[in-house]
Amino acid sequence: MFGMMARSGATVTASMIMALAMLLLLGVYAPLWLHWVQDGADLIERGVTSTGLPSRYNVWVGIFAASEAIVILIFTIIARILLAFVLAPVSSSVRKRGVVGLVSSIGSMTTSLFFAFILGILMLVGLGVVAPEMLDGLLSGAGWVENGLENTGLPFRWNNILRLLIADDQILLLFFTILARLIIAGIATGLQRLIFRKG
């Protein structure tokens, strides 16, 4: 169980790093494409923030489900799909079931990442409402990470895009998305064991 959770956390982390790298490349070499992606994310953000939730919750959803976070989610899913193709030769489900195994693996990981993103937002909203002091401390820690990312020594044209993409709230959301993915992996593993034990 812990092995599966560790693999899930590692692959999501690797996917998020790949997503940031792809966004940096787009920002430098294809800014028009990045602009189109941002426009699509703005539409999704407007849909997410007009859900009819009470305003005390919806304000927090609007903060954490910003278009930048949605762009990172989209590219994380793309990166995770690319990782699935790269790791296909060593994946047991793909070796057993071929293309069907690969497609089902991509479908399940895309779905789980999406739900991890939603769960991450809900956890942050819950913290903002129930334990604002804890959220403040976490944001301070994320601010320290943001400061480190802004002083990487990259050339200005790369570093400026990185600074635009990554803010302390986005870093915190990425952290909670990874945490939520670990929770989902733990629940899924527990359910699988329960079902197979009964069967």
Side-chain angles (χ1 to χ4, degrees):
M1 177 174 171
F2 291 111
M4 182 183 177
M5 289 174 69
R7 282 196 303 274
S8 296
T11 51
V12 172
T13 305
S15 301
M16 287 178 170
I17 291 167
M18 282 176 63
L20 288 174
M22 288 191 289
L23 284 166
L24 279 175
L25 288 169
L26 271 184
V28 172
Y29 296 111
L32 186 59
W33 286 19
L34 185 58
H35 177 71
W36 290 338
V37 173
Q38 187 71 46
D39 285 346
D42 288 338
L43 285 174
I44 296 170
E45 180 187 359
R46 281 196 285 275
V48 168
T49 52
S50 58
T51 53
L53 285 170
S55 58
R56 65 182 293 211
Y57 299 111
N58 204 45
V59 166
W60 289 103
V61 172
I63 290 168
F64 290 112
S67 57
E68 291 83 5
I70 293 167
V71 168
I72 291 172
L73 171 68
I74 291 166
F75 275 82
T76 301
I77 290 172
I78 292 169
R80 186 64 188 89
I81 291 169
L82 291 175
L83 267 181
F85 281 106
V86 170
L87 298 174
V90 294
S91 170
S92 58
S93 68
V94 173
R95 278 190 309 221
K96 288 176 188 171
R97 299 170 58 202
V99 176
V100 175
L102 181 62
V103 171
S104 97
S105 174
I106 288 171
S108 68
M109 66 189 150
T110 302
T111 305
S112 64
L113 254 180
F114 175 75
F115 280 118
F117 180 73
I118 300 296
L119 182 57
I121 289 174
L122 291 176
M123 289 162 75
L124 281 167
V125 170
L127 268 182
V129 173
V130 176
E133 300 85 5
M134 185 183 290
L135 181 60
D136 181 63
L138 289 170
L139 280 168
S140 297
W144 177 79
V145 175
E146 179 188 4
N147 188 54
L149 287 172
E150 288 176 356
N151 297 291
T152 55
L154 287 169
F156 282 119
R157 64 176 183 165
W158 296 89
N159 203 52
N160 288 338
I161 292 167
L162 187 64
R163 290 177 69 181
L164 289 170
L165 288 171
I166 292 294
D168 53 1
D169 55 336
Q170 309 305 328
I171 292 166
L172 199 55
L173 179 57
L174 294 179
F175 171 76
F176 271 83
T177 301
I178 293 170
L179 185 63
R181 182 66 186 89
L182 293 175
I183 292 168
I184 290 170
I187 292 169
T189 306
L191 285 174
Q192 277 180 344
R193 287 186 174 179
L194 192 66
I195 290 166
F196 285 128
R197 196 174 294 167
K198 284 184 177 178

